């Protein structure tokens, strides 16, 4: 039996799906530390940034106590001053002095961000912005808000012109310090990040391995065993049984499978013994058939022999009865005519039986010769004319002009037509008509176009009911009608005619409806040129 093609095995499906699930879970799990790491980096950078900005502001204030005011006049809205970078390359504090009427268009992105934060929240002193330098390295920009304090007012208070007077808490500048990412603890963040990735991948691989192992033990192995079992059963091995011992649903499935196999095996056994009994019966039947065939053959041979033996004395009886029928004594003459007629009927019956026995025994010999259909029809019409006259039946003929000459047994064809014509005359009431017609036509049989000749005998008699149209071709069958029953006969004529038509390679058919006469047609093949 052809096995169904498995597109993808359960094991591969398990691994693919679980692998994808593990990858998804790891990705989601790593997204959390990713966010956490960024925050950690910021917090790590915030402390040194805080320290540095405070330190640098104090340094700067100590060194340039008056420069702020001096420089203030040189720029329109923002004044920037750098100290030189220190030995480790850290950029020194940048003080951005803010005038009250300042705008932000001369500040870069991070500064603007810090300014907004400081303006928005008067309590915020430090802001941290993560950015990259031109080389793409991470740097943290730490900003410290410089706000006016009470101590500032000692110098800048009443002595300042009115438009430059400050309020306590007012934002007057921002300290900007840049710290390289590495220094701000970036290495720690990176290390943490890599630890998460490696840990995630390792735990993913471990989970995958463990899952494969467990799924193989718990599911795949028993399923594979059950599949092998089913394959063996499909190949006709009913002795196999499931040995799955997992103690779960799969074992239950295997046990059910075993029970089903037990039931099938016992049914199979029953079927086998029924088959054996059937074989025996068939054997007996075949033997009975052979015996029947022999008995039939013996019967047929017996009939053929006995019929032959009966004909000789019957012919003598007919001959002597005919002689004695010419006696002067009226009574003797009548008796002898009765004897002659009964003996003739008996002879006809014996002749029919002999014919049938010969055909059934396969001893009927066909002697073919070229026969002109038109001639044979005319001969029969002439032969039947006296009988038709006697029954006061009008005999017609409708013969096509181009009737063929065919190779057939003329004696047997005549016998068929004689039977059909004498039946038609016999069963048609006086004053009726019988028509013999013949014609040639072409037909398709077995995909081949062949020529045939049909000879029909139609009458205007009582016709034959549908139910009897097949039965009248059986041996000894006579239709149950007063008219036909009273017409005598043996019920063998049509059976013999059909057998003879078949022997000649043709067929005999009937078309009839009660009250509208009957049409018997014998069809024979025309030899192809
Ligand atoms: P038989 O004529 O000796 O009875 P057949 O075999 O020739 O035997 O015919 C069988 C039966 O078929 C007849 O008894 C008759 O009932 C019916 N039959 C045959 N030919 C005709 C016919 N032309 N019209 C009506 N019935 C017919």
């Amino acid at each position: 039996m052809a096995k169904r093609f498995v597109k993808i095995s359960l094991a591969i499906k398990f691994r693919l799906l679980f692998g994808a699930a593990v990858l998804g879970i790891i990705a989601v799990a790593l997204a959390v530390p990713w966010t956490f790491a960024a925050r950690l980096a910021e917090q790590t950078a915030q402390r040194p940034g805080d320290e540095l900005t405070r330190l640098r502001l104090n340094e700067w204030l100590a060194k340039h106590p008056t420069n702020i005011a001096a420089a203030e006049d040189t720029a329109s809205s923002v004044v920037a001053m750098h100290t030189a970078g220190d030995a480790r390359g850290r950029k020194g504090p940048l003080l951005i002095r803010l005038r009250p009427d300042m705008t932000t268009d001369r500040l870069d992105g991070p500064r603007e961000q810090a300014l907004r934060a400081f303006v928005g929240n008067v309590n915020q002193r430090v802001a941290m912005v993560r950015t990259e330098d031109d080389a793409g390295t991470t740097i943290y920009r730490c900003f410290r808000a410089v706000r006016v304090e009470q101590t500032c007012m000692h110098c800048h208070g009443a002595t300042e012109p009115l438009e430059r007077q400050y309020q306590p808490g007012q934002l007057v500048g921002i300290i900007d310090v840049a710290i390289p990412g590495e220094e701000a603890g970036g290495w720690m963040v990176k290390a943490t990040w890599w630890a998460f990735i490696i840990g995630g991948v390792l735990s993913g691989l471990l989970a995958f391995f463990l899952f494969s192992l467990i799924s193989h033990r718990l599911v795949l192995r028993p399923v594979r065993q059950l599949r092998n079992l089913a394959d063996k059963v499909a190949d006709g091995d009913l002795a196999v049984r499931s040995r799955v011992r997992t103690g779960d649903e799969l074992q239950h499935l295997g046990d059910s499978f075993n029970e089903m196999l037990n039931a099938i095996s016992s049914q199979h056994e029953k079927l086998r013994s029924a088959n054996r009994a059937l074989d025996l019966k068939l054997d007996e039947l075949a033997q009975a058939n052979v015996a029947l065939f022999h008995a039939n053959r013996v019967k047929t041979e017996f009939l053929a022999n006995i019929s032959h033996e009966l004909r000789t004395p019957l012919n003598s009886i007919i001959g002597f009865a005919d002689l004695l029928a010419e006696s002067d004594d009226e009574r003797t003459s009548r008796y002898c005519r009765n004897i002659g007629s009964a003996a003739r009927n008996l002879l006809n019956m014996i002749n029919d039986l002999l014919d049938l026995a010969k055909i059934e025994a396969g001893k009927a010999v066909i002697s073919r010769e070229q026969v002109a259909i038109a001639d044979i029809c005319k001969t029969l019409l002439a032969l039947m004319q006296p009988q038709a006259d006697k029954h006061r039946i009008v005999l017609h003929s409708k013969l096509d002009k181009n009737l063929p000459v065919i190779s057939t047994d003329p004696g047997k064809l005549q016998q068929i037509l004689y039977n059909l014509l004498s039946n038609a005359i016999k069963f048609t009431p006086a004053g009726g008509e019988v028509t013999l017609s013949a014609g040639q036509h072409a037909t398709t049989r077995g995909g081949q176009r062949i020529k045939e000749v049909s000879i029909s005998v139609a009458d205007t008699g009582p016709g034959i009911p549908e139910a009897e149209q097949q039965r009248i071709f059986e041996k000894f069958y006579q239709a149950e009608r007063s008219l036909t029953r009273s017409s005598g006969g043996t019920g063998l004529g049509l059976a013999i005619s059909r057998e003879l038509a078949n022997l000649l390679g043709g067929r005999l058919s009937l078309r009839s409806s009660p009250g509208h006469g009957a049409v018997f047609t014998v069809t024979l093949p025309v030899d192809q040129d």
Side-chain angles (χ1 to χ4, degrees):
M1 202 179 80
K3 298 206 175 89
R4 267 194 296 155
F5 175 65
V6 179
K7 276 187 189 152
I8 182 163
S9 78
L10 202 57
I12 294 178
K13 220 188 246 178
F14 257 119
R15 280 174 200 147
L16 282 179
L17 289 179
F18 187 70
V22 165
L23 278 181
I25 290 169
I26 289 177
V28 172
L30 285 182
V32 178
W34 171 263
T35 327
F36 173 72
R39 272 224 215 110
L40 185 73
E42 264 177 43
Q43 280 175 7
T44 316
Q46 194 143 345
R47 205 174 302 137
D50 191 11
E51 294 290 325
L52 203 59
T53 48
R54 192 179 323 144
L55 192 68
R56 293 301 162 96
L57 175 63
N58 291 339
E59 273 175 14
W60 194 86
L61 284 174
K63 279 185 194 167
H64 311 281
T66 57
N67 274 6
I68 298 177
E72 195 179 343
D73 299 327
T74 59
S76 60
S77 60
V78 175
V79 178
M81 287 189 183
H82 285 272
T83 59
D86 65 10
R88 291 164 70 187
R90 294 188 292 205
K91 273 193 173 170
L94 174 66
L95 176 66
I96 305 155
R97 180 75 192 281
L98 305 167
R99 279 172 37 157
D101 59 343
M102 65 157 287
T103 58
T104 58
D105 53 0
R106 292 182 62 179
L107 299 176
D108 66 1
R111 283 179 192 165
E112 189 188 340
Q113 223 174 307
L115 180 65
R116 281 185 196 288
F118 294 144
V119 169
N121 183 359
V122 290
N123 295 321
Q124 187 166 347
R125 304 195 71 80
V126 177
M128 178 72 69
V129 178
R130 184 176 180 272
T131 179
E132 285 178 355
D133 64 8
D134 297 342
T137 320
T138 304
I139 49 171
Y140 289 93
R141 298 271 292 272
C142 300
F143 299 96
R144 172 172 284 274
V146 181
R147 295 185 190 274
V148 175
E149 291 176 18
Q150 204 57 49
T151 51
C152 306
M153 304 300 286
H154 296 314
C155 305
H156 293 283
T159 56
E160 292 287 317
L162 199 58
E163 72 273 10
R164 285 203 206 136
Q165 281 187 2
Y166 299 101
Q167 299 300 317
Q170 182 181 341
L171 185 67
V172 288
I174 297 170
I175 297 288
D176 178 356
V177 176
I179 305 175
E182 286 294 323
E183 198 171 311
W187 65 270
M188 200 174 83
V189 174
K190 269 190 198 157
T192 315
W193 173 238
W194 275 111
F196 273 122
I197 290 187
I198 292 168
V201 168
L202 283 181
S203 26
L205 284 176
L206 189 68
F208 185 75
F209 172 73
L210 284 177
F211 177 79
S212 295
L213 196 73
I214 293 168
S215 63
H216 178 77
R217 287 273 161 98
L218 285 187
V219 183
L220 296 177
R221 196 162 54 183
V223 165
R224 212 167 282 158
Q225 280 176 5
L226 286 174
R227 195 194 63 195
N228 289 343
L229 184 78
D231 283 351
K232 280 185 185 159
V233 172
D235 287 343
D237 183 358
L238 291 181
V240 284
R241 291 292 179 271
S242 161
R243 291 190 213 297
V244 174
R245 289 288 163 265
T246 49
D248 53 19
E249 284 86 345
L250 286 170
Q251 180 176 341
H252 186 70
L253 188 68
D255 291 346
S256 306
F257 207 75
N258 285 349
E259 278 168 28
M260 190 178 76
L261 278 175
N262 290 340
I264 292 177
S265 294
S266 85
Q267 290 294 332
H268 201 247
E269 197 39 55
K270 275 187 200 158
L271 217 65
R272 273 235 292 264
S273 63
N275 261 351
R276 274 198 294 273
L278 214 65
D279 276 353
L280 275 176
K281 286 268 174 267
L282 265 179
D283 229 32
E284 282 170 18
L285 217 63
Q287 280 173 12
N289 252 349
V290 171
L292 215 63
F293 178 76
H294 284 304
N296 197 39
R297 210 184 171 89
V298 169
K299 176 213 77 180
T300 309
E301 277 169 10
F302 169 77
L303 265 180
N305 291 339
I306 199 82
S307 305
H308 186 75
E309 295 307 322
L310 281 174
R311 280 204 298 190
T312 321
L314 261 179
N315 276 327
S316 306
I317 292 170
I318 291 168
F320 284 117
D322 284 350
L323 268 180
L324 288 172
E326 284 163 15
S327 155
D328 293 337
D329 180 18
E330 172 53 27
R331 231 165 125 204
T332 313
S333 163
R334 190 154 35 92
Y335 288 165
C336 288
R337 277 202 304 276
N338 286 347
I339 293 170
S341 143
R344 272 194 190 86
N345 279 343
L346 200 58
L347 187 63
N348 283 340
M349 188 186 282
I350 288 167
N351 282 340
D352 282 352
L353 276 174
L354 192 62
D355 284 344
L356 205 62
K358 263 194 199 162
I359 294 168
E360 285 186 348
K363 284 184 181 165
V365 183
I366 298 176
S367 25
R368 287 187 184 275
E369 54 186 79
Q370 292 299 310
V371 176
I373 295 296
D375 290 352
I376 219 157
C377 288
K378 283 173 193 159
T379 310
L380 269 154
L381 280 169
L383 190 72
M384 300 308 291
Q385 193 59 57
Q387 210 175 315
D389 292 343
K390 193 173 151 198
H391 287 81
R392 288 192 287 117
I393 301 287
V394 185
L395 206 54
H396 296 291
S397 84
K398 268 193 205 164
L399 305 179
D400 279 4
K401 286 214 171 63
N402 57 346
L403 282 174
V405 174
I406 64 169
S407 163
T408 191
D409 185 325
K412 296 205 165 39
L413 180 55
Q414 266 186 17
Q415 194 176 343
I416 297 169
L417 294 176
Y418 182 86
N419 274 343
L420 299 180
L421 281 166
S422 57
N423 272 351
I425 292 168
K426 188 162 65 175
F427 295 118
T428 304
E433 293 174 10
V434 170
T435 308
L436 178 72
S437 51
Q440 183 179 282
H441 58 93
T443 184
T444 309
R445 188 148 305 155
Q448 261 195 330
R449 201 145 176 79
I450 53 168
K451 278 189 202 164
E452 287 181 333
V453 62
S454 295
I455 309 166
S456 300
V457 176
D459 61 50
T460 55
I464 301 155
E466 178 88 36
E468 295 194 326
Q469 289 187 7
Q470 277 308 313
R471 299 207 62 192
I472 56 166
F473 289 99
E474 290 169 12
K475 281 174 271 183
F476 301 109
Y477 186 80
Q478 292 180 305
E480 279 295 332
R481 269 174 291 114
S482 52
L483 181 64
T484 57
R485 294 294 282 179
S486 63
S487 306
T490 59
L492 284 173
L494 286 179
I496 293 171
S497 299
R498 180 164 264 188
E499 293 287 353
L500 287 176
N502 291 344
L503 266 180
L504 296 179
R507 60 190 184 279
L508 178 60
S509 57
L510 162 66
R511 230 174 348 102
S512 172
S513 55
H516 295 95
V519 184
F520 286 88
T521 305
V522 56
T523 308
L524 296 171
V526 175
D527 322 317
Q528 303 292 317
D529 306 323

